[in-house]
Amino acid sequence: MAEGPEAALPHRPVRPPTLRDALAPVVVLIVLLATTIALFGVGATDGPLQVALLLAAAFASLVAFKNGHTVASVADAAVGGVTSAIGAVFILLAVGALIGTWNMAGTIPTVVDYGIKLVSPAWFFFTTALVCALVGVVTGSSWTTAGTLGVAFVGMATVMGLSTAAAAGAVICGAYFGDKMTPLSETTILVPKLVGRGLTVGTHVRNMAWTAVPALLVSLILFLVIGWRTRPETAASTEAAERALEGAYRVSVVCLLPLALLVYFALRRYPPFLAILGSALFAGVLAPFTQPAAVRAFVDDPSLGPVATGVHAVFGAMATGFVSDTGAPKVDQLFSRGGMASMLTTVWLILGALSFAAVMEHAGFLQRLMAPVVARARSRGSLILAVNAGGVGLNVIAGDQYVADVLPSRMFRDEFARRGLAPQVLSRAVEDSGTVTSVLVPWNTCGAYISGVLGVPTIAYLPYCFFNILSPLLDVAYGYLGFKVPTAAPERVPAGGGPAPAGGGDDSPEH
C-alpha cells in the first residue's frame, strides 16, 4: 500500500513550472499568513503561523506532484530542507539553556544591575547598539550577540521603564552590523564563495562598509534622539530597581565569569553550539556558589542535599528555564525565563518555514519567480534593485536567510559578469538584502530566533531596526547614482544557462 502514490505516476516526465504554478503557493501562503495574523495578532507565532506554513508547504507539494515530481522526491526535499536547519536548532536550544542558567547564576541580573548604574536612559539605546556592534564583530555571530548581551539589554530596558521594542531594535542593529563586518561570520565567508570570480572576503567586507557604516551611524543618531526624547518622569526609578536587584541577587564580578567564558570560546572559534552550551553548563555549576538562596528556592525540595540540589537546578534551568522566587514581583517576572523547552515553538516555526522553502526550491518555483526579475533588469540601478528585491522577497517567501543569500548569488552573477560589474557589487547587494532583512520577517529562521530569545514580537521591534531597513535602501541608491559601484572587464558568459556551480567551493551551505 505504501507504494501506491508512486505507482500512480511510474514514468511521468517532470514539467518545468509555469509562472502560475510558481505564484500559486505564494498566494496561498500570503492568504494563510494574513488570516492567522488578522485572527491571532502577535499570538500567531504561538502556533497558527506554523500551521499556515505547513499547509502552504502541502499545497506547494500538490502543485509539484501535478508537474510530475514524485512523492518520494518531494518528501526527500522537505526532509533535506529541515535537515539543513539542524545546526540552527541546536544553537537555539543551547541559547534557551544559557538564558536559564545565566539567570540562575546571576549573570544576567549582574549585567542589568551594572548597566542601569552606568548608562542613563538618554544614552541607553545608543550604547546598546554600539556595544552589540562591537561584540558582533568579535564573535562573528548576530545570534550569539542577541542571545547573550541582547537578552540583558532588553532586561535593562524593562527595569528602567524604557521601550523593550526599541531596545530589541538597538540590539539587532548592532548585532547585524557586527555580523556583516567581520571575516568571522559564516555569511560573510559564504557569499563571496557563491559569487566567485576571484572575490575575496577582505574585498567583500571593505565594499560592504560603504553601506554598513553609514547605515549604522544613522541608526546611532536615531537611537540617540529616541533616548533624549525619553522623559525621566515616565521611567521607573533606577535606584528602586537597583535596590530590588541587589536585594534579590548577589551581584558581583564573579557572576560575569560565564560571559567571559563565552567570549573566550568565541575568540578561539569554538563551534557556536558547544561554546554556548559550555557557558550554560558552567553557569549552572557556578549558580549554587553565587546564588545559593535562589537555587534552593528554585528547587524547593528540602529533602535533597547540597549536591543533589545543585544538579537538580542545573537540569531544571537548562530544560524548562529558571523560575525566580525572590518575592519581588518585577524581578521575578524579569528573570524567570529560559530553558530549551521555551524554544520549541520557535523550532516549530523554523521547521514549517524550511519545509515550504525546500518544496518551492525543489519544484523550481523559486527559480521560475526569479528568472523574469533577472531578465527585466536593464540598467545598472535596476539590476542592483532586482538583487535587493530578490533577497527581501526570498526572506519572506522562503523563510530562510541562506536561501535569500544563495539563490540571488547564483542567479545574478553571470549577468553582473556580462555587464562588467565587479563581483563585490553583487555580494554587497546580496548581504544588504538577504542577510540583514531576514530578521524582519516573523516566520524567517532569523526573525523567529531573535524574537524568541529577546521575548519581543518581530512586528514590535521592526520599526526600530534602522540599520536593517537602511542597508538595502542605500545599496539601491548607490546603484542608481553609480556611487561606489566598481566595474570590471565584461566577461563572455552564455546567456540563459541558469545558475552555474559556484567557483571554488561547495554551493550547499550548512546552517
Side-chain angles (χ1 to χ4, degrees), residues 335-358:
F335 299 118
S336 294
R337 284 195 62 204
M340 294 185 183
S342 68
M343 298 298 172
L344 294 181
T345 302
T346 302
V347 171
W348 180 16
L349 184 60
I350 290 172
L351 297 183
L354 289 183
S355 298
F356 177 76

Side-chain angles (χ1 to χ4, degrees), residues 8-95:
L9 297 170
H11 302 292
R12 189 175 177 182
V14 176
R15 297 192 305 273
T18 64
L19 186 58
R20 182 180 297 177
D21 292 334
L23 282 173
V26 177
V27 172
V28 169
L29 176 65
I30 292 171
V31 170
L32 290 174
L33 293 177
T35 301
T36 58
I37 292 171
L39 292 175
F40 297 95
V42 294
T45 54
D46 294 332
L49 210 59
Q50 290 86 328
V51 173
L53 287 163
L54 290 173
L55 289 175
F59 180 81
S61 300
L62 293 176
V63 180
F65 298 154
K66 176 186 76 68
N67 288 348
H69 292 275
T70 64
V71 173
S73 67
V74 173
D76 287 344
V79 171
V82 169
T83 302
S84 69
I86 292 301
V89 168
F90 278 128
I91 292 174
L92 193 62
L93 295 176
V95 168

Side-chain angles (χ1 to χ4, degrees), residues 191-192 195 199 204 207-208 423-432:
V191 171
V195 171
L199 179 62
H204 171 56
N207 198 53
M208 279 199 298
Q424 59 265 36
V425 178
L426 173 57
S427 65
R428 183 176 68 192
V430 168
E431 290 254 50
D432 280 339

Side-chain angles (χ1 to χ4, degrees), residues 327-381:
K330 288 186 177 180
V331 173
D332 290 339
Q333 182 181 6
L334 180 60
F335 299 118
S336 294
R337 284 195 62 204
M340 294 185 183
S342 68
M343 298 298 172
L344 294 181
T345 302
T346 302
V347 171
W348 180 16
L349 184 60
I350 290 172
L351 297 183
L354 289 183
S355 298
F356 177 76
V359 175
M360 290 287 289
E361 186 169 17
H362 172 75
F365 299 154
L366 293 181
Q367 290 87 341
R368 182 66 184 85
L369 290 172
M370 291 286 289
V373 178
V374 179
R376 293 177 183 176
R378 303 296 183 188
S379 67
R380 175 194 58 214

